[in-house]
Amino acid sequence: MCILRGIAAELGGDLADFAIGVEQAVVDTLAELKPDRRLYANVEFYAGVVMELCGIPRPMFTPTFAVSRVIGWTTNIIEQAERGKIIRPTARYVGPVAPQPIPLR
């Protein structure tokens, strides 16, 4: 269970109930449409709900998200500086082949 979902539920109220219901409806729909994938709401979904329930003004939501990530960004920069190279996630694209451009005549 998402920690922020639990905090939202603990704070309670119509917004928390609504968010939990919306998430469940979306998860159920995604399970039907994409049964081979496990898709869920990301952390920002409940972060916004919790901030709203805590009385943080909406114009402060984005700065709060950014500030909360500064530690991770800073850690990445320090690691990259120590290793002398940019850290890139390893991934392999397995989707359809990209369309090829048609040459102009």
Side-chain angles (χ1 to χ4, degrees):
M1 179 169 158
C2 170
I3 291 172
L4 288 175
R5 181 190 316 127
I7 293 170
E10 224 175 274
L11 291 169
D14 292 340
L15 180 60
D17 294 342
F18 178 72
I20 291 166
V22 166
E23 181 198 25
Q24 190 59 58
V26 169
V27 167
D28 292 347
T29 301
L30 289 171
E32 282 181 36
L33 295 173
K34 307 253 183 199
D36 55 325
R37 297 183 65 197
R38 299 176 74 185
L39 301 169
Y40 301 97
N42 65 18
V43 68
E44 282 80 8
F45 180 76
Y46 281 106
V49 172
V50 170
M51 286 191 284
E52 178 79 20
L53 294 173
C54 288
I56 295 173
R58 286 186 181 192
M60 294 303 296
F61 284 16
T62 300
T64 302
F65 288 136
V67 167
S68 69
R69 283 162 178 72
V70 168
I71 292 173
W73 294 337
T74 303
T75 302
N76 287 343
I77 290 167
I78 291 169
E79 288 176 357
Q80 291 177 152
E82 288 173 348
R83 294 177 183 174
K85 69 178 194 172
I86 295 174
I87 299 169
R88 300 194 189 279
T90 54
R92 188 171 62 103
Y93 180 72
V94 295
V97 176
Q100 299 300 309
I102 299 172
L104 297 173
R105 295 179 191 196

